[in-house]
Amino acid sequence: SAVISQKPSRDICQRGTSLTIQCQVDSQVTMMFWYRQQPGQSLTLIATANQGSEATYESGFVIDKFPISRPNLTFSTLTVSNMSPEDSSIYLCSVGGGAGREAFFGQGTRLTVV
Amino acid sequence: GENVEQHPSTLSVQEGDSAVIKCTYSDSASNYFPWYKQELGKGPQLIIDIRSNVGEKKDQRIAVTLNKTAKHFSLHITETQPEDSAVYFCAAIQYSGAGSYQLTFGKGTKLSVIP
């Protein structure tokens, strides 16, 4: 199993500012995933972060808006840049899920942009 | 890419009754199908999963069935309890080559168990 600590758990931010979300895993993992969950919606993958390489972004998400760092095998950050109210969502980091293994999720960061 | 449809979006049942949530997927290469429960203010947690070489799996009050030919799978909760109230997500996993993979989630079902 994996225990994921994500912070902050919630934040209220002014539009135009940026917020960096941290994700710490209690074991070394190759791939870490960042998801967005808009109010009442499902999880949408933003990007996959591999240690030692650039993150891979899904359609509709770009590095300038959601820069990701992956400095080592247990840690990653997601920055939400130049925020607007449309960025108000829950952001989740995740590990695992490959080869039929369980995926684990952090508790999420509830972001409100005003 | 994979597309996962989930129904119903909301479901209310009386305590003690059964609840069934259904999902379909589009990519015949998908071979792992987990179900997640998300309680308010928490991240999703795996409750049961099934692999494509298995037709049914049961864990106490929870069971999942898979029909690979029809590309659909279902979650069954029997003897529902108020603590089963949550949002449930189905998912399918597909491999993109070179060791990469991606979970695609359904839109979720909000289950309410009425005492």
Side-chain angles (χ1 to χ4, degrees), chain A residues 72-95:
Chain A
N72 57 51
L73 290 172
T74 63
F75 187 78
S76 179
T77 67
L78 170 76
T79 298
V80 186
S81 303
N82 188 25
M83 289 183 285
S84 65
E86 293 71 37
D87 294 321
S88 298
S89 288
I90 298 172
Y91 293 85
L92 295 141
C93 70
S94 174
V95 301

Side-chain angles (χ1 to χ4, degrees), chain B residues 55-106:
Chain B
E56 184 174 357
K57 183 177 178 181
K58 190 173 182 180
D59 182 5
Q60 299 182 357
R61 297 187 295 108
I62 296 173
V64 57
T65 59
L66 171 65
N67 183 326
K68 276 219 76 174
T69 303
K71 296 209 274 286
H72 66 70
F73 55 113
S74 301
L75 177 71
H76 304 252
I77 305 174
T78 58
E79 301 171 26
T80 52
Q81 301 167 3
E83 50 266 38
D84 294 329
S85 296
V87 179
Y88 291 82
F89 293 98
C90 63
I93 191 164
Q94 60 278 149
Y95 295 89
S96 311
S100 63
Y101 52 90
Q102 181 174 324
L103 276 171
T104 300
F105 288 86

